[in-house]
Amino acid sequence: MQNAVIIRRFSMLTVLWLLAAVFSAVLSTAAAAADAPPKPSSAGTAVYIVPVKQTVESGLQSFLERAFNEAEQANAERIVLVINTLGGRVDSADEIGKLIRESPVPTTAFVEGKAVSAGTFIALNADMIVMQPSSTIGAAAIVDARGTLIEDPKARSYWVSRMVGAAEQNGRDPDIAVAMTDPKQRVELPELDKVKSEGEVLSLSAAEAAKVGYADHIANSVDETLAWLELEGRPVVEINPTFVERMARWLVQPWVQNLLLIAGIAGIAIELLVPGFGVPGIIGLLGFGLFFFGHYVAGFAGMESVVLFVIGIALLIIEIFVPSFGILGTLGIAALVGGVTTAAYDSEQAVTSLLFAFLCASVIVAVVAYIFRRRGVWNRFILRDRLTTEEGYISAATRPMLLGQEGVTLTPLRPSGTIQIGQERIDAVTEGGFIASGVKIRVTQIEGTRVVVREI
């Protein structure tokens, strides 16, 4: 049984290495497919249409990096970002803004519906902003995941400075950017004949944005925008997220990351502690595999993160069979943490997610270990057989047939010694007195293995 468990666990280690190789091949293929540039009908004159119609987060950032890279390789004449978003992460928006500013291809933002919060910042970094008649832009105050306004003056000051810098870069009124971002500021807006009071954030309609210079043109569609830009005769290349990118965008969401890490840690731990199922191990490998797959496709993880993680799993498995006073286990845990944190977009958030996942997984493992406590690896160190008479065990053989038989002492009994009954030598004791050797005796009592004799 123990050999079967050992073979099973070493097989699991082999599966881990094979899984790493498979993921390496799959991820390389996916990356190659994602990096393959499009084939515009006329190189050097194409207009690239790129949608920004989702939450601003790391997945969108990765997609836009690919789109801008393709446009640059094709020597595109212009990129049109079709924006319709309620915002998202400030750090991702900041990186996307940097991508737009540093791109050699001019960028126009076409606000199709809403450019709110981080979406406003993305639009402000474009060379030109075109808005639909019913669209809005603004309301860019920073909030937390629950939508509560962040009061931290440092964070607010940083975001205001980024918004003002984006506005000034393209010749837009910085006071409007402040009014859109900082609810603590009172800003006069003479062009709109109103004042943004303290406690409010500014949001502009298309007409208002055009009046204050935050919209360069109002158009009903992308085609009208291209006509206004005098690009209506150019080949149009539409870049959309691939299935792999959409999947990766979903996988890198914080709550999905936590679930994958919980499944991975709990599954592997249950498979090691309560062997024989197989399903927990598969779930654990799948959880970790999807975690690294999503971050790899999103552009945050490299193969070094996957290799580091697999090494950590291997060290933990080896620790079970090779006593190392905790050295291999410690190195394994360090490798696991290193693999996860280097794969994540935000290392600090990754550590927090890992701690949360470890706590949740510990509860799950404890419950499963209690339910299947008779199958756990710890049973190798506990003797559970009961050596009772009911189970068929006896402490020693009894000799009831000797009772009443006669023999002779071979040695003096003081009070113990050796007697002979027939041809058998037996250890015996007297009832309390002394019996010399060569004296006839009779067995008077049997107490387990104790034979009591009396002189005849």
Side-chain angles (χ1 to χ4, degrees), residues 202-254:
L202 180 65
S203 180
L204 299 176
S205 66
E208 290 174 331
K211 187 177 294 186
V212 298
Y214 267 56
D216 299 286
H217 184 65
I218 297 177
N220 290 304
S221 64
V222 174
D223 291 337
E224 288 188 13
T225 302
L226 295 180
W228 176 72
L229 293 170
E230 299 181 354
L231 298 172
E232 63 270 30
R234 306 295 193 276
V236 174
V237 179
E238 295 186 9
I239 303 295
N240 291 297
T242 63
F243 170 77
V244 173
E245 286 175 328
R246 291 196 299 270
M247 181 179 178
R249 187 175 68 209
W250 183 76
L251 291 174
V252 297
Q253 295 183 67

Side-chain angles (χ1 to χ4, degrees), residues 1-2 4-10 12 267-281 320-321 368-369 372-380:
M1 178 64 182
Q2 184 173 352
V5 173
I6 294 175
I7 292 173
R8 176 177 178 75
R9 289 180 177 167
F10 276 114
M12 183 179 175
I268 297 297
I270 292 172
E271 186 64 32
L272 292 176
L273 297 178
V274 190
F277 291 98
V279 175
I320 297 177
F321 304 103
V368 174
F372 299 100
R373 57 189 178 278
R374 296 186 180 276
R375 300 188 57 173
V377 67
W378 43 80
N379 284 299
R380 294 188 302 163

Side-chain angles (χ1 to χ4, degrees), residues 34-101:
D35 291 337
K39 297 179 180 179
S41 56
S42 177
T45 61
V47 176
Y48 275 63
I49 310 299
V50 183
V52 182
K53 299 181 180 182
Q54 63 193 63
T55 302
V56 178
E57 35 74 33
S58 53
L60 175 63
Q61 175 188 338
S62 177
F63 163 65
L64 291 179
E65 287 174 352
R66 177 177 70 86
F68 273 73
N69 182 56
E70 291 182 6
E72 292 174 19
Q73 289 182 3
N75 194 26
E77 188 167 350
R78 184 168 290 273
I79 296 173
V80 177
L81 296 178
V82 183
I83 300 176
N84 188 1
T85 179
L86 294 175
R89 293 178 61 94
V90 169
D91 49 0
S92 296
D94 204 5
E95 291 297 324
I96 293 171
K98 180 180 178 182
L99 176 68
I100 296 172
R101 292 192 303 271

Side-chain angles (χ1 to χ4, degrees), residues 106-128:
T107 303
T108 295
F110 175 65
V111 182
E112 189 176 63
K114 300 179 182 67
V116 178
S117 189
T120 302
F121 179 76
I122 293 174
L124 288 179
N125 280 277
D127 303 320
M128 298 180 180

